[in-house]
């Protein structure tokens, strides 16, 4: 086992190790996916989340062992980078990797602070009557613009990967999660609008986002609206076609 712990948590490294060792026997299940599992547990007096990344196949195990950072390490490194750029994400505590005798990755874990959030962007997207919906969308556009200005392209910028904390009436904080897929690059206008495509925005939401982003960027609202609408429609079309083909082939339940 190899463990990397944030300096603020060095004194708790043994406790962190014990939580990981006992991952499958303790803690509260949050997400049980086909590839990853997330649990909540106690680290002393605070709640933490532990994300288990499923054992990769032989090829990926070789890649992650010798040529590319593991998902756990990337999650930890990217979280630290986001916080340096003042982009909110649950505080990164540690990551753990298990390798076999040949040095091949077997499994890995990412540990971070638990955020007591009020909702995710997903709830807002699917509820046209969501309280302060347009205000939240405008502030979310500001949050994303700030991320783009910091040259962060979050490739999994989808509704379930942003936690929202209500600080007061009309005032919200946004936290990114599921961080292991990012690029750090200067983003063109088209690439910035493309980054919103997975949000599954309606035409009304496209208008709100484009207007807010235009005010921040100084770019024409009509231009941003047209690009964002095109990207959104294209993504929805591709996703719908893929689901249709899978149903026809019997690959979906």
């Amino acid at each position: 086992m190899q463990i990397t712990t944030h300096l603020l948590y060095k004194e708790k490294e043994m406790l962190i190790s014990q939580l990981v060792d006992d991952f499958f026997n303790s803690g509260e299940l949050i997400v049980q996916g086909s590839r990853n599992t997330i649990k909540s547990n106690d680290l002393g007096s605070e709640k933490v989340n532990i994300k288990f990344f499923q054992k990769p196949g032989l090829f990926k195990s070789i890649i992650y062992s010798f040529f590319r950072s593991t998902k756990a390490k990337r999650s930890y490194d990217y979280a630290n980078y986001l916080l340096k750029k003042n982009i909110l994400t649950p505080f990164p505590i540690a990551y753990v990797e298990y390798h076999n005798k040949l040095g091949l990755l077997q499994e890995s874990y990412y540990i971070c602070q638990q955020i007591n959030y009020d909702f995710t962007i997903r709830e807002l997207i699917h509820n046209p009557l969501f309280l302060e919906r347009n205000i939240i969308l405008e502030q979310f556009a500001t949050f994303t613009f700030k991320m783009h200005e910091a040259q962060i392209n979050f490739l999994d910028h989808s509704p379930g990967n942003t936690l929202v904390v209500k600080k007061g009436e009309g005032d919200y904080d946004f936290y990114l999660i599921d961080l292991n897929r990012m690029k750090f690059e200067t983003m063109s206008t088209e690439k910035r609008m493309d980054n919103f495509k997975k949000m599954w925005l309606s035409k009304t939401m496209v208008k709100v986002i484009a207007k807010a982003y235009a005010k921040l960027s100084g770019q024409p609202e009509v231009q941003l609206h047209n690009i964002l609408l095109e990207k959104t429609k294209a993504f929805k079309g591709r996703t719908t076609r893929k689901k249709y083909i899978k149903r026809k082939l019997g690959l979906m339940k």
Side-chain angles (χ1 to χ4, degrees), residues 64-243:
Y64 288 142
S65 300
F66 304 113
F67 301 104
R68 190 183 184 194
S69 297
T70 64
K71 292 180 179 181
K73 184 180 188 302
R74 275 181 277 149
S75 297
Y76 178 82
D77 290 343
Y78 292 169
N80 279 297
Y81 184 81
L82 289 175
L83 293 176
K84 285 181 181 178
K85 296 295 182 178
N86 296 315
I87 306 296
L88 294 178
T89 188
F91 191 88
I93 294 172
Y95 71 94
V96 175
E97 298 172 346
Y98 286 88
H99 296 80
N100 65 17
K101 292 180 180 180
L102 297 177
L104 296 179
L105 179 72
Q106 297 299 289
E107 55 190 46
S108 59
Y109 300 80
Y110 172 57
I111 303 95
C112 66
Q113 288 181 346
Q114 179 170 298
I115 297 296
N116 295 319
Y117 64 96
D118 295 292
F119 53 92
T120 69
I121 292 294
R122 180 181 284 118
E123 286 96 303
L124 176 146
I125 294 294
H126 295 299
N127 182 4
L129 301 179
F130 200 94
L131 188 64
E132 297 188 319
R133 192 184 198 220
N134 284 358
I135 292 173
I136 299 167
L137 284 172
E138 289 168 0
Q139 292 183 18
F140 177 69
T142 300
F143 171 75
T144 303
F145 174 77
K146 182 180 176 183
M147 184 171 66
H148 291 165
E149 288 292 286
Q151 300 184 342
I152 298 167
N153 186 356
F154 181 35
L155 301 178
D156 284 326
H157 203 31
S158 55
N161 286 340
T162 300
L163 311 180
V164 186
V165 175
K166 184 171 184 177
K167 300 185 337 183
E169 187 174 349
D171 189 14
Y172 298 85
D173 275 340
F174 303 88
Y175 291 77
L176 292 185
I177 60 171
D178 202 1
L179 306 179
N180 62 80
R181 295 184 67 242
M182 289 188 183
K183 286 185 179 179
F184 303 99
E185 58 186 355
T186 301
M187 299 175 68
S188 64
T189 298
E190 186 154 333
K191 188 168 284 189
R192 289 177 181 222
M193 294 301 99
D194 186 71
N195 197 217
F196 284 103
K197 69 184 179 185
K198 293 182 180 179
M199 287 295 163
W200 211 263
L201 302 171
S202 66
K203 290 182 179 179
T204 300
M205 289 185 282
V206 166
K207 289 181 180 179
V208 175
I209 294 287
K211 184 176 182 178
Y213 205 100
K215 287 181 180 178
L216 295 163
S217 65
Q219 294 174 292
E221 181 183 336
V222 173
Q223 178 190 4
L224 296 186
H225 176 271
N226 291 341
I227 296 173
L228 180 54
L229 187 61
E230 178 188 349
K231 297 291 184 182
T232 299
K233 285 182 176 179
F235 177 76
K236 287 181 177 180
R238 286 194 300 272
T239 303
T240 301
R241 284 193 296 273
K242 285 180 182 178
K243 288 182 178 179

